[in-house]
Amino acid sequence: MKLFRFGQPGAEKPGVVVDNQYLDVSSFETDYTEQFFATGCMARLEQFVAARRDSLPRMPEGERLGPPLARPSKIVCIGLNYADHAKETGAQTPSEPIIFMKSTTALCGPNDDTMIPRGSEKTDWEVELAVVIGKKATYVDEADAMNYVAGYCLHNDLSERAFQLERNGTWDKGKGCDTFAPLGPWLVTKDEIADIDNLRLWLTVNGQKMQDGSTANLIFKIPFLVSYVSQFMTLLPGDVISTGTPAGVGLGMNPQVYLKPGDVVELGIDGLGTSKQKVVAYKAG
């Protein structure tokens, strides 16, 4: 299944894509929350849609897409998980996964504007494959890890490089700004992806190709990542692990290139759809 959510921020409704039609399933028992994943709702939703697909309303034309799951308890990110990206930034290839956290308040819809933070001069892009956890995971064995995965999403792990690298702290400072986690358009269940280790992922800025990679080049694969992260924290249903970005970020260019108001970023991953963000200047909420 392809799950999505639509409507204004904070008032999104759940939907399902069936035969390229965006169907409103807000009459189902719950939104795509932690409870949805934890209580077996995925199977019940599939039955619900199969029984009612001809009568379910369609999403209204032109409606905003929100993030495809309600706010997770955490967004865990993996740094430097493609060797070419580590090389372009002058970093060593890690011997173990690098873990940092992205604020859940950064979460937004796939086509929402990217707002440059106040005082930022180095806002950067990163196309990533995100993994959505399907059930509570603590000290999971790698061999069993895929049983804890509900599905996958497209994610732009936007980063403010000065905040991340030059402000005397952890990477989190440059990762959790508002609008810095556009997710979606869909949550695609794992049964729809034949080979998660062979997906093309790409990103353009103003139509110019910046990133063009493959999940075949992940240093640490998804089962290992789920197992590894679960050794340090309990992953709850609906939590997100973003698995890293390939080469082609602004930080790695010579001279470096960063986003400015008016820029348009587009990105995609095979089977997970595409997203598009217009860059805007900071404005107080």
Side-chain angles (χ1 to χ4, degrees):
M1 286 192 297
K2 292 183 176 71
L3 313 184
F4 71 96
R5 297 169 70 247
F6 66 97
Q8 293 306 301
E12 292 95 345
K13 298 177 181 180
V16 172
V17 181
V18 177
D19 296 332
N20 295 317
Q21 295 183 358
Y22 283 66
L23 303 181
D24 178 347
V25 295
S26 56
S27 55
F28 185 64
E29 56 195 85
T30 181
D31 193 3
Y32 303 146
T33 61
E34 179 182 337
Q35 180 186 8
F36 172 85
F37 296 102
T39 57
C41 285
M42 189 83 78
R44 294 199 296 277
L45 175 62
E46 193 167 8
Q47 296 168 358
F48 176 90
V49 172
R52 297 168 174 80
R53 58 182 295 172
D54 294 333
S55 61
L56 288 169
R58 296 186 185 184
M59 179 183 76
E61 190 81 22
E63 187 68 82
R64 167 188 176 267
L65 290 179
L69 64 160
R71 186 181 293 176
S73 81
K74 50 190 168 290
I75 302 171
V76 184
C77 297
I78 308 300
L80 303 176
N81 199 24
Y82 288 77
D84 58 358
H85 175 55
K87 183 179 179 180
E88 73 172 346
T89 60
Q92 288 188 335
T93 301
S95 58
E96 292 186 52
I98 295 170
I99 294 176
F100 61 91
M101 306 294 284
K102 201 170 184 83
S103 172
T104 59
T105 52
L107 189 66
C108 64
N111 303 313
D112 288 349
D113 290 346
T114 290
M115 184 170 64
I116 293 180
R118 186 168 65 183
S120 166
E121 296 181 353
K122 296 183 179 181
T123 294
D124 205 349
W125 56 84
E126 295 189 11
V127 59
E128 302 201 3
L129 169 71
V131 177
V132 179
I133 299 299
K135 59 181 180 179
K136 185 177 178 180
T138 306
Y139 296 113
V140 171
D141 290 334
E142 184 177 351
D144 194 35
M146 292 305 292
N147 291 324
Y148 291 81
V149 173
Y152 309 102
C153 295
L154 171 65
H155 176 220
N156 188 357
D157 175 23
L158 288 148
S159 311
E160 210 299 330
R161 300 302 190 184
F163 297 177
Q164 175 189 354
L165 302 171
E166 302 169 20
R167 296 293 296 273
N168 209 28
T170 65
W171 287 9
D172 307 58
K173 285 182 179 180
K175 296 286 189 171
C177 306
D178 289 352
T179 74
F180 268 29
L183 200 67
W186 317 307
L187 188 169
V188 180
T189 53
K190 62 183 177 182
D191 59 289
E192 291 214 5
I193 304 298
D195 186 1
I196 197 63
D197 292 322
N198 191 28
L199 302 181
R200 178 176 176 244
L201 60 171
W202 57 269
L203 181 145
T204 66
V205 178
N206 301 327
Q208 180 180 353
K209 184 67 63 64
M210 297 297 189
Q211 295 183 275
D212 195 351
S214 170
T215 57
N217 296 323
L218 282 167
I219 297 170
F220 303 108
K221 304 296 187 182
I222 290 166
F224 181 82
L225 291 175
V226 173
S227 173
Y228 185 87
V229 174
S230 78
Q231 312 304 308
F232 301 97
M233 64 192 81
T234 292
L235 295 165
L236 296 178
D239 280 357
V240 173
I241 300 176
S242 199
T243 59
T245 198
V249 300
L251 174 67
M253 295 181 180
N254 186 16
Q256 295 174 345
V257 177
Y258 294 110
L259 294 171
K260 60 187 183 301
D263 286 345
V264 176
V265 178
E266 297 185 69
L267 57 152
I269 301 179
D270 290 347
L272 302 184
T274 63
S275 67
K276 181 177 181 179
Q277 297 98 41
K278 181 181 177 181
V279 180
V280 299
Y282 172 79
K283 54 186 176 185

